[in-house]
């Protein structure tokens, strides 16, 4: 999508904006875009560098409030509001990005990050505090973020790697893969997609997984203490953990405790599979 | 003195923005130039008149009720919390959007949430871990009540989506419709299974989950249309 | 030394919350407190919107937008400036934003009839104001109008105006000189 538009941009007349200005200690950065790519990078200066490729009749508007910097574009002509942004921000800033047809990438920020797009991928590397990622038809990838992590994808896959804190989110049709998470709570669901989770379970932490037709793979480290509550209407359940039941009945909720309890893990599916096992005991089921 | 002082400097002079030396130079010029002196005095008078215009104006019409209706649905500024259980992070909804929909959605989700809490209370927090029984029948009517409210909220959102579907790209719309169909299929599965096993706690929970999921997808779509 | 003032403060605290307390309550989601905040500040906000827009009806809508936006952004107010200053700045942003939005649809020239309506509304809303001056401001092109209001009526510094409006200092100054000349011209007509 973006590539196509940039191709068109070259034919139509492209303009570039490249400006660096004092951030004035502002804590919030907001950017709204109709289309194009949004890339946010971090640096250790109290300055904002805004690079933008856009049509010649597009205007980039920068508004600076006491505490926030807001960037918007408006334009006429073929390219209208299509802008490719590269923004470099003070590392600690909180970032809020909204795009309609935008791929969004945020790298190395240490504040809160909110990235919402209608059609496009969202990639967030880093971030602390509240982390929101949402795309209707694009993929979501969050790496190394910590805090309250929320995601929502309607149709595509979501991958969270090396994140910590609380995780909440859903994908209707895509897979949700959470790798090596240090989560204190998880609440994720998918209608048709697969859910993979791996990482330590915190004592007192709560972990909920739900899918209608997909497979739920939960890999827990050896020696984990947890209470499991697993339920399936028409699907299958297996738990390869010391002390877990060998057989699970359909249409019943089965609960059991391993390693003396500690975390609460709950998984449920209508027609899919639930697979619980010790980490390192093989590839997750597809 | 021959040449007049340019207008910009006269404005700066009146506004006391010139340095001491420059200001003194202008003053020396003014002593001997009626033209510039007239401009300065007119300017000074105008600026003084403008500065003394009233800073407040009374509003005849009641503006507050309009403001109140736009901010009124939320529990607090900026964030309207949808107080439900699973998979529902607090959602930020703009005032306009909230105004359109919050009444329906909040009502529905509050009810759903209440039901949900009741359901969850029976299971996740339960200390004795054994084969849990099916949910007691007392909760079922509550689910049905919530179900009705969800249907209403969903119908309202679907109407909105219908009106604005032309605003979405075909591929977005296609993905959206696929997803909604998948959720609808899941809802139908859960309902059909509930017909056979009406007291199943699992099925009631799945049904509520899917309905909430549908609500959120529709909400996301409607928000996209608004963009 | 402080006994009398102190008692006054205590009484105020008990029965009549200070403006800042009301703001704090509103930040916590108390819409009744926010209504009081509105009542205290609406006069200044409306006056600003009225002059910046030159349109009484639009000014009412903008005033509502300002308070809705303020409610949404209340969390950002941390008490480093006076609330009224914060709100005023936010109001300017809302008006400028509106101008930008409408700007894409094109500005409309003010007709004499528009100015008559405006003058009457200004007199009603601000009894004792100089209607000729108000009309002259309202009749300015939009860019010149907003800058003369910010500079000469509201008293913002040039660099602040440049920052708020996002245009260069030189442009701001050129605009204000032109605006003053046009106002004088209008007054002489």
């Amino acid at each position: 999508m973006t590539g196509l538009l940039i191709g068109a941009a070259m034919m139509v007349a492209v303009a570039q904006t490249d400006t660096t200005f004092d951030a004035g200690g502002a804590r919030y950065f907001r950017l709204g875009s109709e289309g194009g790519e949004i890339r946010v990078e971090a640096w250790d200066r109290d300055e904002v560098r805004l690079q933008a490729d856009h049509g010649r009749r597009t205007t980039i508007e920068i508004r600076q409030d006491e505490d926030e910097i807001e960037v918007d574009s408006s334009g006429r002509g073929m390219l209208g509001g299509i802008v490719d942004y590269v923004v470099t921000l003070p590392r600690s800033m909180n970032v809020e990005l909204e795009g309609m047809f935008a791929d969004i990438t945020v790298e190395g920020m240490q504040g809160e990050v909110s990235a919402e797009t209608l059609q496009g991928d969202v990639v967030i590397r880093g971030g602390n505090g509240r982390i929101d990622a949402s795309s209707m038809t694009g993929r979501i990838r969050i790496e190394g973020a910590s805090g309250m992590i929320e995601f929502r994808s309607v149709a595509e896959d979501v991958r969270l790697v090396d994140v910590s804190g609380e995780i909440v989110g859903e994908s209707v049709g895509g897979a949700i893969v959470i790798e090596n998470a240090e989560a204190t709570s998880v609440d994720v669901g998918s209608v048709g997609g697969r859910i993979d989770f791996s990482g330590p379970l915190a004592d007192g932490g709560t972990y909920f997984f739900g899918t209608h037709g997909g497979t739920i793979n939960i890999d827990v480290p050896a020696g984990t203490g947890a209470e499991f509550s697993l339920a399936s209407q028409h699907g299958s359940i297996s738990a390869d953990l010391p002390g877990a039941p060998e057989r699970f009945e359909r249409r019943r909720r089965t609960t059991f405790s391993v390693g003396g309890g500690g975390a609460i893990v709950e998984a449920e599916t209508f027609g899919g599979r639930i697979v619980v096992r010790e980490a390192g005991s093989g590839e997750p089921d597809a | 003195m021959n040449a007049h002082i340019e207008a910009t400097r006269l404005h700066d002079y009146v506004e006391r923005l010139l340095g001491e030396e420059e200001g003194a130079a202008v003053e020396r010029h003014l002593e001997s130039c009626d033209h510039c002196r007239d401009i300065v005095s007119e300017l000074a008078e105008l600026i003084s008149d403008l500065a003394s215009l009233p800073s407040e104006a009374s509003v005849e019409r009641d503006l507050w009720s309009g403001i109140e209706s736009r901010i009124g649905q939320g529990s607090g500024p900026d964030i309207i919390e949808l107080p439900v259980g699973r998979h529902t992070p607090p959602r930020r909804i703009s005032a306009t959007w909230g105004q359109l929909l919050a009444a329906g959605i909040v009502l529905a989700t509050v009810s759903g949430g209440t039901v949900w809490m009741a359901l969850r209370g029976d299971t996740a927090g339960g200390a004795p871990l054994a084969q849990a029984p099916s949910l007691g029948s007392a909760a079922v009517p509550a689910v049905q009540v919530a179900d009705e409210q969800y249907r209403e909220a969903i119908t309202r959102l679907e109407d909105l989506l219908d009106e604005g579907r032309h605003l979405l790209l075909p591929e977005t719309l296609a993905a959206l419709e696929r997803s909604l169909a998948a959720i609808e299929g899941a809802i139908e599965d859960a309902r059909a299974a509930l017909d056979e096993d009406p007291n199943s706690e699992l099925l009631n929970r799945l049904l509520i989950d899917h309905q909430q999921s549908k609500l959120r997808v529709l909400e996301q779509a409607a928000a996209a249309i608004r963009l | 030394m402080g006994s009398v003032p102190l008692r006054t403060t205590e009484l105020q605290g008990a029965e009549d919350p200070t403006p800042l307390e009301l703001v704090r309550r509103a930040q916590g989601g108390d819409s009744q407190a926010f209504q009081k905040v509105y009542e205290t500040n609406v006069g200044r906000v409306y006056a600003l919107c009225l002059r910046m827009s030159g349109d009484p009806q639009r000014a009412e809508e903008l005033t509502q937008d300002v308070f809705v936006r303020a409610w949404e952004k209340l969390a950002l107010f941390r008490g480093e400036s006076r609330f009224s200053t914060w709100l005023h700045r936010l109001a300017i942003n809302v008006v400028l934003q509106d101008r930008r939005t409408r700007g894409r649809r094109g500005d409309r020239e003010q007709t004499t009839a528009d100015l008559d309506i405006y003058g009457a509304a200004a007199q009603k809303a601000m009894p004792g104001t100089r209607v000729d001056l108000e009309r002259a401001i309202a009749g300015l092109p939009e860019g010149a109008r907003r800058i003369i209001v910010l500079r000469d009526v509201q008293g913002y510094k040039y660099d602040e105006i440049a920052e708020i409006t996002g245009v260069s200092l030189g442009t701001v100054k050129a605009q204000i000189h032109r605006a003053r000349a046009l106002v004088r011209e209008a007054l002489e007509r």
Side-chain angles (χ1 to χ4, degrees), chain B residues 46-109:
Chain B
L46 176 67
I47 290 172
S48 153
D49 288 348
L50 286 165
S52 51
L53 288 176
S55 61
E56 297 204 9
S58 58
V59 195
E60 203 180 340
R61 206 160 63 83
D62 163 38
L63 302 185
W64 173 251
S65 53
I67 295 166
E68 195 180 24
S69 75
R70 285 165 67 183
I71 68 171
Q73 288 96 359
S75 57
D78 197 24
I79 294 169
I80 295 175
E81 302 268 349
L82 296 186
V84 270
R86 297 180 64 93
H87 320 316
T88 307
R91 291 281 301 146
R92 289 194 177 84
I93 302 176
S94 79
T96 322
W97 182 231
Q99 186 183 7
L100 275 171
L101 299 166
I105 289 179
V106 170
L107 175 68
T109 45

Side-chain angles (χ1 to χ4, degrees), chain B residues 7-9 11-12 15 17 38-39 42-43 45-47 49-68 70-72 74-79 93-96, chain C residues 26-29 31 34-35 38 40 42-44 46-47 50-51 60-61 63-65 67-68 71-72 74 124-126 129-130 133-134 137 148 151-153 158 173 176-177 180 183-184 187-188:
Chain B
T8 311
R9 284 182 73 207
H11 282 261
D12 284 351
E15 295 184 82
L17 297 173
D38 285 350
I39 292 177
E42 279 172 15
L43 254 182
E45 190 187 342
L46 176 67
I47 290 172
D49 288 348
L50 286 165
S52 51
L53 288 176
S55 61
E56 297 204 9
S58 58
V59 195
E60 203 180 340
R61 206 160 63 83
D62 163 38
L63 302 185
W64 173 251
S65 53
I67 295 166
E68 195 180 24
R70 285 165 67 183
I71 68 171
S75 57
D78 197 24
I79 294 169
I93 302 176
S94 79
T96 322
Chain C
Q27 283 178 321
S31 62
F34 189 64
Q35 185 175 3
Y38 161 82
T40 312
V42 64
R44 272 193 84 201
Y46 180 60
L50 190 59
R51 291 199 181 103
E60 289 182 351
E61 293 162 4
T63 302
Q64 290 180 316
D65 292 346
F67 282 95
V68 171
W71 171 259
E72 290 168 356
L74 264 184
K124 201 165 188 185
M126 299 174 284
T129 193
R130 278 196 41 195
L133 205 47
E134 299 283 4
I137 297 169
I148 204 170
R151 172 66 194 166
D152 289 341
V153 182
Y158 282 117
K173 284 196 158 190
I176 191 98
H177 299 163
R180 286 172 185 158
V183 168
R184 274 184 46 207
L187 290 174
E188 281 164 15

Side-chain angles (χ1 to χ4, degrees), chain C residues 21-32:
Chain C
E21 278 166 6
L22 287 170
V23 171
R24 294 285 175 237
R25 284 187 203 176
Q27 283 178 321
D30 180 346
S31 62
Q32 282 185 334

Side-chain angles (χ1 to χ4, degrees), chain B residues 84-190:
Chain B
V84 270
R86 297 180 64 93
H87 320 316
T88 307
R91 291 281 301 146
R92 289 194 177 84
I93 302 176
S94 79
T96 322
W97 182 231
Q99 186 183 7
L100 275 171
L101 299 166
I105 289 179
V106 170
L107 175 68
T109 45
V110 165
S111 309
T114 310
V115 173
W116 182 250
M117 298 293 275
L119 292 170
R120 170 151 292 177
D122 275 0
T123 57
L129 296 169
Q131 294 277 353
S134 281
L135 193 77
S137 57
V140 175
V143 173
Q144 284 165 352
V145 170
D147 198 18
E148 284 306 306
Q149 290 169 337
Y150 273 103
R151 278 175 206 258
E152 278 174 31
I154 279 171
T155 306
R156 203 167 317 148
L157 280 160
E158 278 173 342
D159 290 349
L160 226 136
L161 180 60
D162 270 349
E163 282 169 29
R165 58 196 294 124
H166 63 282
L167 297 169
L168 296 172
L169 282 184
E171 52 265 48
T172 309
L173 192 61
L176 187 65
E177 284 178 341
R178 265 199 315 275
S179 300
L180 287 170
I183 301 174
E184 198 46 55
I187 289 173
E188 287 314 311
D189 285 348

